[in-house]
Amino acid sequence: MNRPILRMSFVLLICLSFLPFKPCAALAGEATDQVKQTVDAVLDVLNNKELKKPENREIRTKKIREIVNKRFDFEEMAKRSLALNWGKRTPEERKEFVTLFSDLLENTYVKKIERYENEKIVYLDEKITGQYAVVKTKIVKAQEAEIPVEYRIFKEAGKWEVYDIIVEGVSLVNNYRSQFSQIIRSSSYEELVKKLRNKTIKETK
Amino acid sequence: MKKVNDSFMKKLDIETAVGFFLLIGICSLAYISIKLGNLEVFSSNGYTIYAEFDQAGGIKPGASVEIAGVSIGKVTEVNLDKYQALLTLQINKGVKLQDDSIASIKTQGLIGEKFVQVTPGASEKYLIAGGRIRDTESAIDIESLISKYVFGKV
């Protein structure tokens, strides 16, 4: 009478003992995996000793750009940042703006990334709702504080693409959205394009 | 006989007048309490949408929802949903919000009231009643930010 229960509990125990071996696979979803892939690829480039040399600096920057370009949807980011003004622009203007915007992001952030020094990246959580998802991570600096970074991603053709980053609770897109609309309101769209272009020229010098 | 009838009429007149004034008094009282209490008796115009935040930090029902500093609605409910704050927003009729709008919790001035700021987006799709603002920015906790950089981490 007692046997089957005993056997069942035994089987259950064995099953349970196997469980802890696969917690990562169960926890990290597809979205986190894809973000992690990109982040790891960037870290690989950053940790590459050969590429750290000053003469290889340009190659390193180029490599980082390539990796980031694959995961980040700059068009969507530019569109969201331009917000209401996006609809008023012609397709050519939009195309030009996307290029300028991605240059701006690259110039601003690639430099920041390059200062990376053995910070650890912890993947905390992901939440998928339909086509959209949020991947929560944090960057743990050796001694100082930890910086929460959230990736807002959406699925397009089976691939998750980043459309916004939230650092310390501040959205990148929202930041540019308010800046751009302010510049456009106080002067004009042309002025904004001029400003972006000047900035790119200055940074790449 | 006539005199009795007359006084009766007079009494009725006074009573009607008093009753009439009392009625006006009650009506104004009701009006004032509805106005002051921000109550909505008649079905309100507009539609409700939802927004999820990690940190609702001090938002209370009745807080205003603004675009460019102009009120376009208000927060009607603040609930906890899966350990996150779920705000129910009542948006005025005629205000259309793009589905990539960003809702952020902001403070009026340094220590003022909290409100929900919406920045309109670029999408051609608009949020419908019962929709959800996906992109939100939580209240920034200045205290924890300061302590983080002042004291560091263990």
Side-chain angles (χ1 to χ4, degrees):
Chain A
M1 189 66 197
N2 242 347
R3 280 260 166 87
I5 294 171
L6 225 125
R7 197 176 293 161
M8 234 156 77
S9 58
F10 184 66
V11 169
L12 216 94
L13 212 96
I14 291 176
C15 285
L16 275 176
S17 68
F18 273 107
L19 259 177
F21 288 105
K22 291 188 71 186
C24 295
L27 218 127
E30 181 191 52
T32 306
D33 277 349
Q34 293 201 12
V35 170
K36 192 167 185 289
Q37 222 177 356
T38 304
V39 174
D40 286 349
V42 172
L43 292 185
D44 273 349
V45 174
L46 289 171
N47 287 327
N48 192 324
K49 286 215 173 72
E50 194 56 40
L51 289 173
K52 259 185 189 161
K53 290 174 184 162
E55 66 265 25
N56 285 334
R57 213 199 158 112
E58 265 180 35
I59 305 172
R60 187 159 100 143
T61 311
K62 213 180 132 212
K63 276 203 166 163
I64 293 173
R65 280 184 189 187
E66 266 170 29
I67 297 162
V68 171
N69 270 339
K70 271 188 230 152
R71 179 66 57 206
F72 283 62
D73 190 341
F74 285 120
E75 194 189 325
E76 185 66 26
M77 285 173 119
K79 181 184 168 186
R80 281 169 185 258
S81 300
L82 211 51
L84 293 171
N85 292 292
W86 179 263
K88 298 176 197 157
R89 306 268 73 93
T90 62
E92 292 84 51
E93 280 177 318
R94 287 180 187 177
K95 219 170 162 186
E96 187 201 14
F97 185 79
V98 171
T99 326
L100 282 171
F101 185 72
S102 51
D103 283 349
L104 171 78
L105 289 191
E106 280 169 15
N107 287 327
T108 323
Y109 295 103
V110 167
K111 271 193 193 126
K112 281 201 178 137
I113 297 171
E114 280 177 341
R115 267 186 274 148
Y116 164 86
E117 261 170 281
N118 290 323
E119 282 96 353
K120 268 208 195 77
I121 287 150
V122 184
Y123 296 86
L124 299 171
D125 193 14
E126 75 166 34
K127 206 163 85 189
I128 301 176
T129 30
Q131 279 207 295
Y132 295 84
V134 184
V135 176
K136 289 183 184 171
T137 71
K138 63 180 180 189
I139 300 172
V140 184
K141 289 190 168 184
Q143 283 280 310
E144 298 159 55
E146 37 192 54
I147 307 165
V149 178
E150 235 178 272
Y151 298 88
R152 294 267 157 95
I153 54 182
F154 75 112
K155 204 175 199 174
E156 205 176 53
K159 198 177 138 212
W160 289 100
E161 291 189 331
V162 178
Y163 68 84
D164 195 5
I165 296 185
I166 288 135
V167 182
E168 269 313 353
V170 181
S171 152
L172 179 135
V173 165
N174 209 13
N175 167 40
Y176 285 118
R177 196 180 269 186
S178 55
Q179 283 190 48
F180 290 167
S181 74
Q182 206 173 353
I183 292 170
I184 291 170
R185 205 182 321 109
S186 60
S187 43
S188 66
Y189 172 74
E190 285 72 32
E191 185 65 29
L192 172 69
V193 170
K194 214 167 95 189
K195 264 191 180 156
L196 290 179
R197 202 172 283 141
N198 285 343
K199 196 157 189 210
T200 316
I201 293 166
K202 218 160 76 187
E203 298 278 337
T204 43
K205 238 182 218 172
Chain B
M1 192 63 201
K2 202 183 174 232
K3 210 174 175 184
V4 174
N5 205 357
D6 215 37
S7 76
F8 177 73
M9 278 302 284
K10 217 176 195 171
K11 207 177 162 195
L12 196 77
D13 262 4
I14 293 169
E15 273 177 359
T16 338
V18 168
F20 187 66
F21 276 111
L22 205 70
L23 213 68
I24 292 176
I26 289 171
C27 281
S28 355
L29 207 70
Y31 177 77
I32 286 175
S33 45
I34 288 167
K35 265 286 177 215
L36 287 183
N38 277 330
L39 287 176
E40 272 175 40
V41 180
F42 310 105
S43 65
S44 53
N45 286 325
Y47 57 101
T48 45
I49 54 171
Y50 302 93
E52 220 170 65
F53 292 88
D54 284 341
Q55 262 296 335
I59 275 272
K60 287 183 182 68
S64 72
V65 181
E66 300 180 358
I67 289 182
V70 180
S71 175
I72 57 148
K74 62 183 185 188
V75 178
T76 50
E77 274 176 57
V78 181
N79 292 315
L80 194 65
D81 178 39
K82 287 181 203 137
Y83 297 103
Q84 285 195 313
L86 182 68
L87 304 196
T88 310
L89 313 176
Q90 173 88 33
I91 306 297
N92 293 346
K93 207 169 158 186
V95 180
K96 288 203 275 182
L97 296 176
Q98 292 82 357
D99 79 337
D100 60 347
S101 300
I102 299 176
S104 1
I105 293 179
K106 300 266 160 140
T107 315
Q108 255 144 8
L110 261 181
I111 45 164
E113 246 181 275
K114 298 271 181 177
F115 65 99
V116 178
Q117 190 189 50
V118 178
T119 41
S123 176
E124 293 85 28
K125 282 186 228 150
Y126 293 97
L127 288 171
I128 48 164
R132 195 173 274 238
I133 297 186
R134 243 181 333 261
D135 302 301
T136 57
E137 276 181 305
S138 296
I140 293 175
D141 186 359
I142 297 172
E143 232 170 81
S144 76
L145 266 183
I146 292 172
S147 62
K148 223 181 213 179
Y149 292 105
V150 169
F151 304 114
K153 254 198 70 91
V154 187

